[in-house]
Short mmCIF file of all heavy atoms in Angstrom, two decimals:
data_model
loop_
_atom_site.label_atom_id
_atom_site.label_comp_id
_atom_site.label_asym_id
_atom_site.label_seq_id
_atom_site.Cartn_x
_atom_site.Cartn_y
_atom_site.Cartn_z
N SER A 1 13.37 1.99 6.72
CA SER A 1 14.21 2.11 5.51
C SER A 1 13.67 3.16 4.54
O SER A 1 14.28 3.42 3.51
CB SER A 1 14.31 0.76 4.82
OG SER A 1 13.02 0.32 4.43
N ILE A 2 12.53 3.75 4.87
CA ILE A 2 11.93 4.79 4.04
C ILE A 2 12.38 6.14 4.59
O ILE A 2 12.20 6.42 5.77
CB ILE A 2 10.40 4.68 4.04
CG1 ILE A 2 10.01 3.31 3.49
CG2 ILE A 2 9.78 5.81 3.23
CD1 ILE A 2 8.57 2.96 3.72
N VAL A 3 12.94 6.97 3.72
CA VAL A 3 13.54 8.23 4.17
C VAL A 3 12.73 9.42 3.67
O VAL A 3 12.63 9.63 2.45
CB VAL A 3 15.00 8.34 3.66
CG1 VAL A 3 15.63 9.65 4.11
CG2 VAL A 3 15.82 7.14 4.11
N PRO A 4 12.13 10.19 4.57
CA PRO A 4 11.43 11.41 4.14
C PRO A 4 12.43 12.41 3.56
O PRO A 4 13.53 12.57 4.06
CB PRO A 4 10.83 11.96 5.44
CG PRO A 4 10.84 10.81 6.40
CD PRO A 4 12.01 9.97 6.01
N VAL A 5 12.02 13.06 2.50
CA VAL A 5 12.84 14.12 1.90
C VAL A 5 12.53 15.39 2.68
O VAL A 5 11.38 15.85 2.71
CB VAL A 5 12.54 14.30 0.40
CG1 VAL A 5 13.31 15.47 -0.17
CG2 VAL A 5 12.86 13.01 -0.35
N GLU A 6 13.52 15.92 3.33
CA GLU A 6 13.35 17.10 4.19
C GLU A 6 13.83 18.35 3.47
O GLU A 6 14.74 18.29 2.65
CB GLU A 6 14.15 16.92 5.48
CG GLU A 6 13.75 15.72 6.31
CD GLU A 6 12.39 15.85 6.96
OE1 GLU A 6 11.84 16.96 6.98
OE2 GLU A 6 11.87 14.83 7.45
N PRO A 7 13.25 19.51 3.80
CA PRO A 7 13.74 20.77 3.21
C PRO A 7 15.18 21.03 3.65
O PRO A 7 15.60 20.58 4.72
CB PRO A 7 12.81 21.84 3.78
CG PRO A 7 11.78 21.15 4.57
CD PRO A 7 12.15 19.71 4.72
N LEU A 8 15.90 21.73 2.82
CA LEU A 8 17.26 22.11 3.18
C LEU A 8 17.24 23.01 4.41
O LEU A 8 16.28 23.76 4.62
CB LEU A 8 17.93 22.84 2.01
CG LEU A 8 18.10 22.01 0.73
CD1 LEU A 8 18.61 22.90 -0.39
CD2 LEU A 8 19.01 20.83 0.96
N SER A 9 18.29 22.97 5.20
CA SER A 9 18.32 23.73 6.45
C SER A 9 18.28 25.24 6.22
O SER A 9 17.85 25.98 7.09
CB SER A 9 19.57 23.36 7.25
OG SER A 9 20.74 23.70 6.51
N ASN A 10 18.68 25.69 5.06
CA ASN A 10 18.69 27.13 4.78
C ASN A 10 17.48 27.55 3.94
O ASN A 10 17.53 28.56 3.25
CB ASN A 10 19.99 27.53 4.08
CG ASN A 10 20.14 26.87 2.73
OD1 ASN A 10 19.43 25.92 2.40
ND2 ASN A 10 21.07 27.35 1.93
N SER A 11 16.40 26.77 3.99
CA SER A 11 15.22 27.09 3.20
C SER A 11 13.96 26.96 4.04
O SER A 11 13.97 26.41 5.14
CB SER A 11 15.14 26.16 1.99
OG SER A 11 14.90 24.84 2.41
N LEU A 12 12.88 27.45 3.50
CA LEU A 12 11.56 27.31 4.11
C LEU A 12 10.71 26.45 3.19
O LEU A 12 10.86 26.50 1.98
CB LEU A 12 10.91 28.67 4.30
CG LEU A 12 11.62 29.63 5.25
CD1 LEU A 12 10.94 30.99 5.23
CD2 LEU A 12 11.63 29.06 6.67
N SER A 13 9.82 25.69 3.77
CA SER A 13 8.95 24.83 2.98
C SER A 13 7.49 25.14 3.28
O SER A 13 7.14 25.44 4.42
CB SER A 13 9.23 23.36 3.29
OG SER A 13 8.31 22.53 2.60
N ALA A 14 6.67 25.05 2.27
CA ALA A 14 5.22 25.18 2.45
C ALA A 14 4.62 23.85 2.91
O ALA A 14 3.45 23.79 3.27
CB ALA A 14 4.56 25.63 1.15
N TYR A 15 5.43 22.80 2.91
CA TYR A 15 4.99 21.46 3.30
C TYR A 15 3.70 21.08 2.57
O TYR A 15 2.76 20.57 3.16
CB TYR A 15 4.82 21.34 4.82
CG TYR A 15 6.14 21.41 5.55
CD1 TYR A 15 6.56 22.59 6.15
CD2 TYR A 15 6.98 20.31 5.60
CE1 TYR A 15 7.79 22.66 6.80
CE2 TYR A 15 8.20 20.37 6.24
CZ TYR A 15 8.60 21.55 6.83
OH TYR A 15 9.82 21.61 7.47
N HIS A 16 3.69 21.31 1.27
CA HIS A 16 2.52 20.94 0.47
C HIS A 16 2.66 19.54 -0.11
O HIS A 16 1.69 18.98 -0.62
CB HIS A 16 2.27 21.97 -0.63
CG HIS A 16 3.29 21.94 -1.72
ND1 HIS A 16 4.61 22.32 -1.51
CD2 HIS A 16 3.20 21.58 -3.01
CE1 HIS A 16 5.27 22.19 -2.63
NE2 HIS A 16 4.45 21.74 -3.56
N LEU A 17 3.86 18.97 -0.05
CA LEU A 17 4.10 17.60 -0.49
C LEU A 17 4.93 16.89 0.57
O LEU A 17 5.80 17.50 1.19
CB LEU A 17 4.89 17.57 -1.81
CG LEU A 17 4.26 18.20 -3.04
CD1 LEU A 17 5.26 18.19 -4.19
CD2 LEU A 17 3.00 17.46 -3.43
N GLN A 18 4.67 15.60 0.74
CA GLN A 18 5.55 14.79 1.58
C GLN A 18 6.13 13.71 0.69
O GLN A 18 5.46 12.75 0.34
CB GLN A 18 4.81 14.15 2.76
CG GLN A 18 5.70 13.25 3.58
CD GLN A 18 6.92 13.98 4.17
OE1 GLN A 18 6.77 14.84 5.01
NE2 GLN A 18 8.11 13.63 3.72
N ILE A 19 7.36 13.92 0.31
CA ILE A 19 8.05 12.99 -0.57
C ILE A 19 8.95 12.10 0.26
O ILE A 19 9.62 12.56 1.18
CB ILE A 19 8.85 13.75 -1.64
CG1 ILE A 19 7.90 14.61 -2.47
CG2 ILE A 19 9.64 12.80 -2.52
CD1 ILE A 19 8.57 15.57 -3.39
N VAL A 20 8.94 10.82 -0.07
CA VAL A 20 9.82 9.86 0.60
C VAL A 20 10.66 9.14 -0.45
O VAL A 20 10.25 9.00 -1.61
CB VAL A 20 9.03 8.84 1.45
CG1 VAL A 20 8.32 9.52 2.61
CG2 VAL A 20 8.05 8.05 0.60
N ARG A 21 11.83 8.70 0.00
CA ARG A 21 12.70 7.88 -0.84
C ARG A 21 12.52 6.43 -0.39
O ARG A 21 12.68 6.11 0.78
CB ARG A 21 14.15 8.29 -0.69
CG ARG A 21 14.41 9.66 -1.29
CD ARG A 21 15.84 10.04 -1.14
NE ARG A 21 16.55 9.65 -2.36
CZ ARG A 21 17.60 10.31 -2.85
NH1 ARG A 21 18.08 11.35 -2.22
NH2 ARG A 21 18.17 9.90 -3.94
N LEU A 22 12.18 5.59 -1.35
CA LEU A 22 11.97 4.18 -1.05
C LEU A 22 13.28 3.41 -1.12
O LEU A 22 14.15 3.74 -1.94
CB LEU A 22 10.97 3.57 -2.05
CG LEU A 22 9.59 4.21 -2.06
CD1 LEU A 22 8.74 3.62 -3.17
CD2 LEU A 22 8.91 4.05 -0.73
N PRO A 23 13.44 2.37 -0.31
CA PRO A 23 14.70 1.62 -0.30
C PRO A 23 14.89 0.75 -1.52
O PRO A 23 16.00 0.42 -1.88
CB PRO A 23 14.59 0.77 0.97
CG PRO A 23 13.12 0.60 1.17
CD PRO A 23 12.50 1.88 0.68
N GLU A 24 13.81 0.37 -2.18
CA GLU A 24 13.90 -0.50 -3.35
C GLU A 24 13.19 0.16 -4.52
O GLU A 24 12.05 -0.16 -4.83
CB GLU A 24 13.28 -1.86 -3.05
CG GLU A 24 13.92 -2.56 -1.87
CD GLU A 24 13.24 -3.88 -1.58
OE1 GLU A 24 12.82 -4.56 -2.52
OE2 GLU A 24 13.15 -4.22 -0.40
N PRO A 25 13.85 1.09 -5.19
CA PRO A 25 13.17 1.85 -6.24
C PRO A 25 12.60 0.99 -7.35
O PRO A 25 11.62 1.36 -7.97
CB PRO A 25 14.25 2.79 -6.76
CG PRO A 25 15.53 2.28 -6.24
CD PRO A 25 15.24 1.46 -5.03
N ILE A 26 13.18 -0.18 -7.57
CA ILE A 26 12.68 -1.03 -8.65
C ILE A 26 11.24 -1.49 -8.38
O ILE A 26 10.51 -1.85 -9.29
CB ILE A 26 13.63 -2.22 -8.89
CG1 ILE A 26 13.35 -2.87 -10.24
CG2 ILE A 26 13.53 -3.25 -7.76
CD1 ILE A 26 14.41 -3.78 -10.72
N HIS A 27 10.81 -1.47 -7.12
CA HIS A 27 9.46 -1.92 -6.76
C HIS A 27 8.48 -0.77 -6.56
O HIS A 27 7.39 -0.97 -6.06
CB HIS A 27 9.52 -2.76 -5.49
CG HIS A 27 10.35 -3.99 -5.64
ND1 HIS A 27 10.05 -4.99 -6.52
CD2 HIS A 27 11.49 -4.37 -5.02
CE1 HIS A 27 10.96 -5.94 -6.45
NE2 HIS A 27 11.85 -5.58 -5.55
N ARG A 28 8.86 0.43 -6.96
CA ARG A 28 7.99 1.58 -6.70
C ARG A 28 6.60 1.39 -7.30
O ARG A 28 5.59 1.62 -6.64
CB ARG A 28 8.61 2.87 -7.22
CG ARG A 28 7.71 4.07 -6.93
CD ARG A 28 8.28 5.36 -7.41
NE ARG A 28 8.31 5.37 -8.87
CZ ARG A 28 8.84 6.36 -9.57
NH1 ARG A 28 9.38 7.39 -8.95
NH2 ARG A 28 8.85 6.33 -10.87
N ARG A 29 6.52 0.99 -8.56
CA ARG A 29 5.22 0.83 -9.22
C ARG A 29 4.36 -0.16 -8.43
O ARG A 29 3.18 0.07 -8.21
CB ARG A 29 5.42 0.38 -10.67
CG ARG A 29 4.18 0.02 -11.44
CD ARG A 29 3.08 1.05 -11.57
NE ARG A 29 3.44 2.41 -11.71
CZ ARG A 29 2.66 3.44 -11.38
NH1 ARG A 29 1.46 3.23 -10.89
NH2 ARG A 29 3.04 4.68 -11.53
N LYS A 30 4.94 -1.27 -8.00
CA LYS A 30 4.19 -2.27 -7.23
C LYS A 30 3.69 -1.66 -5.92
O LYS A 30 2.54 -1.88 -5.53
CB LYS A 30 5.09 -3.48 -6.96
CG LYS A 30 4.44 -4.57 -6.13
CD LYS A 30 5.34 -5.77 -5.95
CE LYS A 30 6.46 -5.43 -4.98
NZ LYS A 30 7.27 -6.59 -4.59
N ASN A 31 4.53 -0.89 -5.26
CA ASN A 31 4.12 -0.25 -4.00
C ASN A 31 3.00 0.75 -4.22
O ASN A 31 2.06 0.84 -3.43
CB ASN A 31 5.31 0.41 -3.32
CG ASN A 31 6.27 -0.61 -2.74
OD1 ASN A 31 5.85 -1.54 -2.08
ND2 ASN A 31 7.55 -0.45 -2.99
N ILE A 32 3.09 1.52 -5.28
CA ILE A 32 2.02 2.48 -5.60
C ILE A 32 0.71 1.74 -5.85
O ILE A 32 -0.34 2.13 -5.34
CB ILE A 32 2.43 3.36 -6.80
CG1 ILE A 32 3.53 4.33 -6.38
CG2 ILE A 32 1.22 4.10 -7.36
CD1 ILE A 32 4.13 5.14 -7.52
N GLU A 33 0.77 0.67 -6.61
CA GLU A 33 -0.45 -0.09 -6.90
C GLU A 33 -1.06 -0.67 -5.62
O GLU A 33 -2.28 -0.65 -5.44
CB GLU A 33 -0.14 -1.20 -7.91
CG GLU A 33 0.14 -0.65 -9.29
CD GLU A 33 0.69 -1.69 -10.26
OE1 GLU A 33 0.87 -2.87 -9.86
OE2 GLU A 33 0.96 -1.31 -11.42
N LYS A 34 -0.22 -1.16 -4.72
CA LYS A 34 -0.74 -1.71 -3.45
C LYS A 34 -1.36 -0.61 -2.60
O LYS A 34 -2.41 -0.82 -1.98
CB LYS A 34 0.38 -2.40 -2.69
CG LYS A 34 0.80 -3.72 -3.30
CD LYS A 34 1.94 -4.32 -2.49
CE LYS A 34 2.36 -5.67 -3.02
NZ LYS A 34 3.46 -6.25 -2.20
N MET A 35 -0.72 0.55 -2.55
CA MET A 35 -1.29 1.66 -1.77
C MET A 35 -2.62 2.10 -2.37
O MET A 35 -3.58 2.36 -1.63
CB MET A 35 -0.30 2.83 -1.71
CG MET A 35 0.99 2.53 -0.96
SD MET A 35 0.78 2.23 0.81
CE MET A 35 0.66 3.93 1.39
N HIS A 36 -2.71 2.17 -3.69
CA HIS A 36 -3.97 2.54 -4.34
C HIS A 36 -5.05 1.50 -4.03
O HIS A 36 -6.21 1.86 -3.82
CB HIS A 36 -3.78 2.70 -5.83
CG HIS A 36 -3.07 3.95 -6.21
ND1 HIS A 36 -2.77 4.28 -7.51
CD2 HIS A 36 -2.56 4.97 -5.47
CE1 HIS A 36 -2.13 5.44 -7.55
NE2 HIS A 36 -1.99 5.87 -6.31
N ALA A 37 -4.67 0.22 -4.00
CA ALA A 37 -5.63 -0.83 -3.66
C ALA A 37 -6.15 -0.66 -2.24
O ALA A 37 -7.28 -1.05 -1.94
CB ALA A 37 -4.98 -2.21 -3.83
N ASP A 38 -5.34 -0.06 -1.37
CA ASP A 38 -5.76 0.25 0.01
C ASP A 38 -6.48 1.59 0.08
O ASP A 38 -6.75 2.08 1.17
CB ASP A 38 -4.55 0.30 0.95
CG ASP A 38 -3.95 -1.05 1.21
OD1 ASP A 38 -4.65 -2.07 1.05
OD2 ASP A 38 -2.76 -1.11 1.60
N ASP A 39 -6.78 2.18 -1.07
CA ASP A 39 -7.44 3.49 -1.17
C ASP A 39 -6.61 4.61 -0.55
O ASP A 39 -7.14 5.54 0.05
CB ASP A 39 -8.84 3.44 -0.54
CG ASP A 39 -9.74 4.56 -1.06
OD1 ASP A 39 -9.51 5.02 -2.20
OD2 ASP A 39 -10.64 4.99 -0.32
N ILE A 40 -5.29 4.49 -0.69
CA ILE A 40 -4.37 5.53 -0.24
C ILE A 40 -3.72 6.11 -1.49
O ILE A 40 -3.03 5.41 -2.22
CB ILE A 40 -3.30 4.98 0.72
CG1 ILE A 40 -3.97 4.40 1.97
CG2 ILE A 40 -2.28 6.06 1.07
CD1 ILE A 40 -3.03 3.64 2.88
N GLN A 41 -4.02 7.37 -1.74
CA GLN A 41 -3.57 8.01 -2.98
C GLN A 41 -2.14 8.53 -2.85
O GLN A 41 -1.90 9.58 -2.27
CB GLN A 41 -4.53 9.12 -3.39
CG GLN A 41 -5.91 8.62 -3.71
CD GLN A 41 -5.89 7.54 -4.79
OE1 GLN A 41 -5.36 7.75 -5.87
NE2 GLN A 41 -6.45 6.38 -4.49
N VAL A 42 -1.21 7.77 -3.37
CA VAL A 42 0.18 8.18 -3.46
C VAL A 42 0.46 8.49 -4.92
O VAL A 42 -0.25 8.02 -5.81
CB VAL A 42 1.14 7.10 -2.91
CG1 VAL A 42 0.92 6.88 -1.43
CG2 VAL A 42 0.97 5.80 -3.67
N HIS A 43 1.48 9.28 -5.16
CA HIS A 43 1.80 9.72 -6.52
C HIS A 43 3.31 9.82 -6.66
O HIS A 43 4.06 9.57 -5.72
CB HIS A 43 1.17 11.09 -6.80
CG HIS A 43 -0.31 11.10 -6.62
ND1 HIS A 43 -1.18 10.61 -7.55
CD2 HIS A 43 -1.07 11.53 -5.59
CE1 HIS A 43 -2.42 10.75 -7.11
NE2 HIS A 43 -2.38 11.31 -5.91
N VAL A 44 3.72 10.25 -7.84
CA VAL A 44 5.12 10.55 -8.09
C VAL A 44 5.18 11.97 -8.65
O VAL A 44 4.46 12.30 -9.60
CB VAL A 44 5.76 9.57 -9.09
CG1 VAL A 44 7.21 9.96 -9.37
CG2 VAL A 44 5.68 8.15 -8.55
N HIS A 45 5.98 12.80 -8.03
CA HIS A 45 6.18 14.17 -8.50
C HIS A 45 7.62 14.31 -8.96
O HIS A 45 8.44 13.42 -8.76
CB HIS A 45 5.90 15.17 -7.37
CG HIS A 45 4.45 15.29 -7.04
ND1 HIS A 45 3.81 14.41 -6.22
CD2 HIS A 45 3.53 16.19 -7.43
CE1 HIS A 45 2.54 14.76 -6.12
NE2 HIS A 45 2.34 15.84 -6.84
N TYR A 46 7.91 15.43 -9.52
CA TYR A 46 9.28 15.78 -9.91
C TYR A 46 9.86 14.86 -10.96
O TYR A 46 10.96 14.36 -10.83
CB TYR A 46 10.19 15.88 -8.68
CG TYR A 46 9.73 16.91 -7.69
CD1 TYR A 46 9.43 16.57 -6.38
CD2 TYR A 46 9.55 18.22 -8.08
CE1 TYR A 46 8.98 17.53 -5.48
CE2 TYR A 46 9.09 19.18 -7.19
CZ TYR A 46 8.82 18.83 -5.90
OH TYR A 46 8.38 19.76 -5.02
N PHE A 47 9.11 14.66 -12.02
CA PHE A 47 9.63 13.96 -13.19
C PHE A 47 10.79 14.78 -13.74
O PHE A 47 10.66 16.00 -13.88
CB PHE A 47 8.51 13.81 -14.23
CG PHE A 47 8.89 13.00 -15.42
CD1 PHE A 47 8.86 11.61 -15.36
CD2 PHE A 47 9.28 13.61 -16.61
CE1 PHE A 47 9.21 10.85 -16.47
CE2 PHE A 47 9.63 12.85 -17.70
CZ PHE A 47 9.59 11.47 -17.63
#
C-alpha cells in the first residue's frame, strides 16, 4: 500500500531522494517515530 514517487516519464532524476506516499497520512508522524526508534532515518521533504 506504500507507493514510491517515481520521476515523470519525460524527465531525468538524480535519484537523490526516495519519496513514498503512505496509505494513512494521518499516521505519518507515528511511522516516522517508529522508524527513528529502529535507527532508520526517514524524513519529510517538500514542505
Side-chain angles (χ1 to χ4, degrees):
S1 61
I2 300 167
V3 179
V5 175
E6 300 290 348
L8 298 173
S9 62
N10 63 346
S11 67
L12 296 174
S13 176
Y15 292 100
H16 70 293
L17 298 174
Q18 177 59 67
I19 299 170
V20 295
R21 291 180 94 148
L22 300 175
E24 302 178 35
I26 196 165
H27 299 298
R28 181 180 67 184
R29 174 56 37 205
K30 178 177 73 171
N31 288 313
I32 289 173
E33 290 170 0
K34 287 179 178 181
M35 295 293 280
H36 286 179
D38 288 338
D39 201 27
I40 299 171
Q41 297 304 305
V42 295
H43 303 281
V44 177
H45 288 82
Y46 300 122
F47 185 81

